[in-house]
Amino acid sequence: MHDYPHAGTTDGAFAEVDRAFHHNFATGTEVGAAVCVYHRGRPVVDLWAGWADPDHHNPWTPDTLTVLASPTKALATTALLHLADRHPLDLDTPIAAHWPEFARHGKDGITPRMVLSHRSGVVTLDHAPLTHDALRAHTPIAQALAEARPAWTPDSAHGYHATTYGHLVSELIRRVTGQTVGQYFHHHIATPLELDAHIGLKDPHAPLATMLESKAEALMAGADPGEVEELRDPTSLTYRATIGSMSQDPADPAVEDPSYGGLASARAMARLFAALVGTVDGIRLISPARTAELTRPHSTGPCQVMYLPLTWGLGMQLADSPVFPAESGLKNSFGLSGANGVFVFADPEAELAFAYTPNAGSAQMGGMDERVRGLVEAVFHSVGHTG
């Protein structure tokens, strides 16, 4: 008998996912969460449980939105790839062809592909750290990116574009279409697919989960970094690309933060990823050729920013890395993991898409959250029995 609110549906073949989901609540590692799985273009798991707030006043609903953190970059990536499939935007033409000011300080040869694969070297904004006003105006961030200097020779190495990624994508899209990435995503992706997913939330009454701080987020807010010495050193690239570049202002869900501040339900994120690998209600977001390109490794090996081995396709993590491990079942998948526990992926071969959105932050850094691992393993075990 569950002593917390819960609801949803699960196809019989995926009952193991239901058990794994509720196991996380039984072990006390969840406050509220949702998980949704699409298989062959239709939802086979759609579950939600627990509470959207730490005081247990507001039960989680299928429409509860969580802050996506790093998986916000999946929304930005989808927007850029969608545009590249429908407009003469070549991923290998320098960004400066659309945004001339960006060519400054040795950035004239940087292409969209280098940004998507985290190879551009434009990873810091510590010369003009993000603020609430800059996020709202957008233009100051574009100006700061134009003045940024690459941390390494572009395309010679890779490092997580933690803060800069979404803003680079947004300004490129704006230069080509006149729309920011949040506007483009809303009009061309979220609206046709009926996704409750946002970069910049228009509805002030939308049901938002209260996010509980993860270990990584606590470090970014100034907690003692312990063994993470790079976060003690303001001159380290890790510090400069994260704490030194991020906004310290309170988050405003109405303001576009395309690197970290996206909001979505699990249902919306699973549907989005399903439409990246197949057709969902007649809509496929990118061509099969683009999906294949997305899943091709573009960067692999040690990350210059996070000091972890990471593998990137086009804007998405690929196996194998500690945070996206092949041995959990993800060997043919692409997706993104968030420090706050949010996890999304799709597997084109299995015609599978998955999204998990909790509000209890992850207690782990540099590895896969055990709540996620149990769910992912259950999904792949279930798929193996569907025939």
Side-chain angles (χ1 to χ4, degrees):
M1 188 72 178
H2 303 307
D3 58 356
Y4 47 86
H6 62 281
T9 59
T10 309
D11 280 16
F14 288 83
E16 187 174 338
V17 181
D18 187 299
R19 292 192 291 272
F21 182 63
H22 289 290
H23 172 77
N24 289 339
F25 283 88
T27 58
T29 55
E30 298 285 25
V31 175
V35 63
C36 186
V37 181
Y38 271 65
H39 188 223
R40 296 171 181 163
R42 66 180 189 88
V44 293
V45 175
D46 189 13
L47 300 171
W48 56 95
W51 306 92
D53 65 304
D55 297 325
H56 295 192
H57 294 316
N58 302 313
W60 204 280
T61 74
D63 302 318
T64 297
L65 306 180
T66 58
V67 177
L68 296 175
S70 291
T72 300
K73 296 175 176 72
L75 310 188
T77 296
T78 299
L80 185 58
L81 296 181
H82 182 273
L83 176 60
D85 260 3
R86 289 157 177 80
H87 190 280
L89 173 66
D90 181 46
L91 296 184
D92 298 304
T93 295
I95 290 171
H98 305 283
W99 177 7
E101 302 92 325
F102 185 71
R104 297 170 189 158
H105 308 306
K107 302 195 299 299
D108 52 300
I110 293 176
T111 65
R113 188 182 301 276
M114 291 179 201
V115 172
L116 287 163
S117 54
H118 294 260
R119 302 183 66 83
S120 81
V122 184
V123 295
T124 63
L125 284 173
D126 54 336
H127 59 289
L130 298 177
T131 65
H132 177 84
D133 288 342
L135 287 168
R136 182 178 294 280
H138 179 89
T139 303
I141 301 175
Q143 293 170 342
L145 289 168
E147 291 300 330
R149 297 177 183 273
W152 58 83
T153 301
D155 209 28
S156 68
H158 75 94
Y160 184 41
H161 292 34
T163 306
T164 58
Y165 182 92
H167 301 289
L168 287 164
V169 170
S170 188
E171 182 61 10
L172 176 57
I173 289 176
R174 192 181 75 85
R175 294 288 176 136
V176 174
T177 69
Q179 298 177 311
T180 64
V181 67
Q183 293 164 345
Y184 186 94
F185 183 85
H186 173 75
H187 290 296
H188 298 281
I189 296 167
T191 297
L193 264 178
E194 299 181 342
L195 302 179
D196 205 355
H198 315 269
I199 306 174
L201 184 63
K202 300 180 184 300
D203 180 3
H205 304 294
L208 303 181
T210 301
M211 304 301 289
L212 309 181
E213 196 169 58
S214 69
K215 181 177 180 180
E217 290 166 328
L219 294 180
M220 298 305 169
D224 186 343
E227 72 279 4
V228 189
E229 289 297 328
E230 292 80 11
L231 291 179
R232 294 182 186 275
D233 180 5
T235 68
S236 74
L237 189 56
T238 303
Y239 187 102
R240 293 176 58 219
T242 55
I243 296 173
S245 296
M246 289 179 175
S247 173
Q248 301 305 313
D249 296 336
D252 181 348
V255 174
E256 288 193 26
D257 178 355
S259 289
Y260 283 110
L263 296 129
S265 65
R267 181 181 283 178
M269 293 302 287
R271 186 171 173 86
L272 173 70
F273 271 69
L276 289 171
V277 297
T279 300
V280 177
D281 293 337
I283 297 173
R284 178 166 185 148
L285 291 173
I286 59 176
S287 67
R290 190 71 73 183
T291 301
E293 190 179 16
L294 186 161
T295 59
R296 175 173 64 83
H298 283 65
S299 300
T300 191
C303 172
Q304 299 296 307
V305 172
M306 306 309 292
Y307 299 103
L308 288 171
L310 293 173
T311 300
W312 292 97
L314 288 180
M316 301 283 188
Q317 293 171 333
L318 307 180
D320 191 23
S321 73
V323 294
F324 205 82
E327 47 86 14
S328 66
L330 295 168
K331 61 181 180 179
N332 299 315
S333 302
F334 63 84
L336 282 164
S337 58
N340 62 352
V342 173
F343 198 92
V344 289
F345 77 83
D347 183 325
E349 292 188 19
E351 299 177 89
L352 186 70
F354 169 98
Y356 163 70
T357 57
N359 64 349
S362 178
Q364 297 170 254
M365 282 184 61
M368 191 180 211
D369 190 307
E370 289 305 311
R371 296 172 298 175
V372 174
R373 183 182 294 275
L375 290 166
V376 170
E377 290 177 349
V379 167
F380 282 105
H381 189 258
S382 299
V383 168
H385 290 83
T386 59

